[in-house]
């Protein structure tokens, strides 16, 4: 019962370094999402992929890129990390076709610190 | 951009009391979801709502999808200590694949 799996769970970067957060789901879901959560705040949408082969910007896309590698995997890349990107990152997936209501299921999160 | 206003931000209640929280927006939603998040973990889905006016229960939890499609509320009856945590609403914006989240309600239950 893996559900949504994120790696790594913890990462420390120096300003200017790059890294990729990986996400995989085994529920055969069409849509996948990346959110960030800052202390005391809700989740803000970074990017999403309604279906394999498509990606779109969310509320806070600046400084990030994404790749929908296949139906299972959706990665988030920080090309040049900044301290403002210190956050907890959550990947989520949804089982319904884009535009049709569905439930969001989350991974356990990836805690990123940028020094 | 779109925003979900969630209230209250935090609340302390006595064990056994009922709790109510709500989310409102100026945008219209196709789906409302309610989550609970414990420290260091990802949000866990509690209730999903798909139709305007829908009232759905999950044990001691009851949630409703507002008739205007712009709001939703969550009630927790007879609270217990394990209800402690942060509760989030989330809505799928009409005509999009986007789910946006409220800022959360931090619940503390006093035994």
């Amino acid at each position: 019962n893996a559900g949504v799996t994120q790696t790594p769970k913890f990462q420390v970067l120096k300003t200017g370094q790059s890294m990729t957060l990986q996400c995989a789901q085994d529920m055969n879901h069409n849509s996948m999402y990346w959110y960030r959560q800052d202390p005391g705040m809700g989740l803000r949408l970074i990017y999403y992929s309604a279906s394999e082969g498509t990606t779109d910007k969310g509320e806070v896309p600046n400084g990030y890129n994404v790749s929908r590698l296949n139906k299972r995997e959706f990665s988030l890349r920080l090309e040049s990390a900044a301290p403002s990107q210190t956050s907890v990152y959550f990947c989520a997936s949804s089982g319904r076709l884009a535009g049709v209501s569905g439930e969001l299921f989350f991974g356990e999160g990836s805690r990123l610190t940028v020094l | 951009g779109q925003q979900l206003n969630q209230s209250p931000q935090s609340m302390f209640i006595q064990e056994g009391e009922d709790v109510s929280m709500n989310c409102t927006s100026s945008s219209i939603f196709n789906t409302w979801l309610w989550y609970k998040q414990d420290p260091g973990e990802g949000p866990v889905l509690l209730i999903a709502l798909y139709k305007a006016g829908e009232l759905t229960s999950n044990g001691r939890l009851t949630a409703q999808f507002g008739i205007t499609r712009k709001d939703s509320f969550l009630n927790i009856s007879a609270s217990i200590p394990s209800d402690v945590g942060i509760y989030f609403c989330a809505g799928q914006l009409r005509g999009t694949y986007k789910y946006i989240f409220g800022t959360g309600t931090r619940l503390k239950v006093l035994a």
Side-chain angles (χ1 to χ4, degrees):
Chain A
N1 296 337
V4 179
T5 303
Q6 297 181 229
T7 57
K9 293 209 173 10
F10 300 92
Q11 183 73 47
V12 179
L13 292 177
K14 294 181 179 178
T15 297
Q17 287 185 319
S18 62
M19 76 157 298
T20 299
L21 298 176
Q22 305 286 354
C23 176
Q25 51 92 7
D26 62 3
M27 296 175 282
N28 200 35
H29 286 171
N30 286 307
S31 303
M32 298 185 72
Y33 303 78
W34 277 105
Y35 289 86
R36 61 176 287 172
Q37 185 176 33
D38 299 311
M41 296 184 67
L43 288 85
R44 292 184 291 169
L45 182 61
I46 305 171
Y47 271 94
Y48 63 100
S49 170
S51 60
E52 187 178 355
T54 69
T55 60
D56 284 285
K57 296 178 180 179
E59 303 167 88
V60 288
N62 291 344
Y64 304 95
N65 286 301
V66 290
S67 296
R68 183 74 183 266
L69 304 171
N70 48 54
K71 189 172 185 178
R72 290 186 64 247
E73 299 172 290
F74 188 39
S75 63
L76 178 71
R77 183 163 178 83
L78 287 69
E79 291 291 352
S80 179
S84 61
Q85 294 178 305
T86 294
S87 190
V88 181
Y89 292 85
F90 287 99
C91 178
S93 70
S94 176
R96 305 287 184 97
L97 285 175
V100 178
S101 302
E103 301 169 357
L104 268 184
F105 294 94
F106 283 85
E108 294 184 346
S110 298
R111 186 176 299 275
L112 175 65
T113 300
V114 182
L115 303 175
Chain B
Q2 298 89 359
Q3 284 188 319
L4 275 180
N5 302 308
Q6 185 170 350
S7 64
Q9 287 187 337
S10 64
M11 53 196 316
F12 287 83
I13 60 169
Q14 293 286 338
E15 183 176 357
E17 287 185 344
D18 297 344
V19 175
S20 184
M21 60 192 79
N22 67 81
C23 281
T24 61
S25 177
S26 58
S27 300
I28 294 175
F29 296 91
N30 283 338
T31 301
W32 281 98
L33 306 172
W34 283 93
Y35 288 88
K36 180 174 184 277
Q37 186 177 28
D38 292 325
E41 299 184 7
V44 175
L45 183 67
L46 299 173
I47 291 181
L49 302 159
Y50 299 108
K51 297 179 182 179
E54 179 181 355
L55 186 71
T56 297
S57 294
N58 177 9
R60 293 179 295 105
L61 279 61
T62 301
Q64 185 159 29
F65 194 141
I67 292 175
T68 65
R69 308 183 72 91
K70 297 180 180 180
D71 62 338
S72 178
F73 72 76
L74 174 71
N75 286 342
I76 305 173
S77 63
S79 58
I80 59 178
S82 62
D83 289 335
V84 166
I86 304 177
Y87 292 79
F88 291 101
C89 63
Q92 183 193 17
L93 287 164
R94 182 180 66 172
T96 79
Y97 314 113
K98 294 182 183 179
Y99 292 81
I100 61 172
F101 278 74
T103 51
T105 295
R106 185 179 298 271
L107 180 64
K108 298 188 179 182
V109 180
L110 305 174

